[in-house]
């Protein structure tokens, strides 16, 4: 489901802008990716095209790891 929804999105030059704030949807995607694939942040870039690899890693440190530990 995740792959179908987000892998199909190819960012255009107009769309590519890296933003710092994490939306609720992006955090949900990140948590699902971590559960399924572990911590392959470079691979996650396919699903989060508006984040850099470093932003994804930092997002994991701030959001996903904390929330996954609580469950």
């Amino acid at each position: 489901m995740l792959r179908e929804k987000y892998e199909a999105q190819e960012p255009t030059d107009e769309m590519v802008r890296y933003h710092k704030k994490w939306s609720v949807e992006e955090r949900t995607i990140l948590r699902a990716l971590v559960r399924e694939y572990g911590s392959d942040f470079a691979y996650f870039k396919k699903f989060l095209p508006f984040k850099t690899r470093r932003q994804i890693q930092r997002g994991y440190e701030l959001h996903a790891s904390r929330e996954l530990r609580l469950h």
Side-chain angles (χ1 to χ4, degrees):
M1 178 177 115
L2 238 127
R3 183 171 294 168
E4 295 166 359
K5 184 174 181 183
Y6 296 100
E7 202 167 44
Q9 288 185 350
E10 286 295 321
T12 65
D13 289 338
E14 297 170 353
M15 293 169 57
V16 175
R17 61 175 172 60
Y18 299 108
H19 53 90
K20 293 183 180 184
K21 291 188 178 185
W22 283 80
S23 68
V24 173
E25 183 180 13
E26 288 173 328
R27 287 191 300 248
T28 303
I29 293 167
L30 181 60
R31 280 192 307 271
L33 289 169
V34 169
R35 282 188 189 114
E36 189 169 341
Y37 299 107
S39 59
D40 187 356
F41 304 119
Y43 181 71
F44 295 173
K45 183 85 176 92
K46 289 182 179 181
F47 301 95
L48 297 162
F50 301 113
K51 297 288 186 192
T52 64
R53 185 200 164 286
R54 177 69 183 132
Q55 285 174 317
I56 294 169
Q57 182 175 356
R58 185 74 176 133
Y60 168 79
E61 293 167 358
L62 292 174
H63 303 294
S65 65
R66 178 176 13 133
E67 293 175 21
L68 290 171
R69 279 194 304 261
L70 294 175
H71 292 298

